Amino acid sequence: MQITTQTTPILSIRDLSKTYRSREGDVEALTNLSLDLERGEIIGILGPNGAGKTTAVKLIMGFIKATRGNITFNHEELKAAEPRPHFGYLPESFRPNPNLTVGEYIGMQYNLALPAGTMTNRGETATKVSTLLNQVGMEPFAKRRIARLSKGMGQRVGIAQAIAGNPELIILDEPTSGLDPIGKSEVIDLLLELKNEGKTILFCSHILAEVERLCDRIGIIVGGNLRFLGKVDNFLAQHQADDLDEGFKKEIKCATL
Ligand SMILES: Nc1ncnc2c1ncn2[C@@H]1O[C@H](COP(=O)(O)OP(=O)(O)O)[C@@H](O)[C@H]1O
Ligand SMILES: [Mg+2]
């Protein structure tokens, strides 16, 4: 007897396309992106600069309107400009107010993420802030001003604000970009911890090597087209490559032929 496990995707993207229109001409940034994200999965959307990764993320977040296609979350269609209360988000350029302390900022984000009409008090906020900062290893720096954080610490604060509303789905745009090797490794470990807690994560990155150990599946996007979607091992086998960087170079070569 064959046992089949049926999973329902948390997020379904179908034929998602975006053309930016401007006086200088049209830019087709994303073409017919389709993918299903399973609950508890980490998927990495990888591709070179200008591939359309941030466009995909902005469409998922509803910041921009798709030219074609649709997105459903738990079977409900998501519309552009509607709030995404179950999503946590780290933007590509994350620049919180530098004058706030880490604790003040996360407290504020926690309160902003509370469902409308929810009452909270200072004690509850303080407890939650310390839990969140603990989770990202930033509790010892709660009183430090954001302006005085290293890039890696700033990114960890960024992840803390992304999970402040206890989201079902976490969307991260280039979470390891600009970090030194230790900073990158720390962020990846942190994302793996979140995965172990059952979070579903979609992130995008133009950096490849470090994300290999993070992703259940990868999507390779070049020139707005999804060229591959599947497990890292299958991608390597398909390209007879030893690592993601080598496979990626071969893929880009194919894409430009
Ligand atoms: N607001 C915009 N108006 C016009 N073109 C844009 C806009 N945003 C992005 N693009 C273009 O769309 C393409 C994809 O960009 P983006 O999604 O930011 O790529 P990535 O995040 O992979 O680097 C690029 O060619 C970029 O120049
Ligand atoms: Mg980008």
Side-chain angles (χ1 to χ4, degrees), residues 98 100-106 129-130 132-150 152-154 156-157 160 186:
L100 296 178
T101 67
V102 169
E104 286 166 348
Y105 171 69
I106 293 299
V129 166
S130 102
L132 282 164
L133 292 182
N134 230 329
Q135 229 175 327
V136 300
M138 284 296 288
E139 236 221 321
F141 307 99
K143 294 208 161 71
R144 188 172 287 196
R145 270 173 13 117
I146 300 232
R148 292 190 48 234
L149 299 181
S150 70
M153 286 171 161
R156 282 191 272 159
V157 171
E186 284 175 354

Side-chain angles (χ1 to χ4, degrees), residues 48-55 92 173-174 204 206:
N49 288 329
K53 305 179 298 293
T54 296
T55 299
E92 189 170 24
D173 196 347
E174 305 274 0
C204 63
H206 68 278

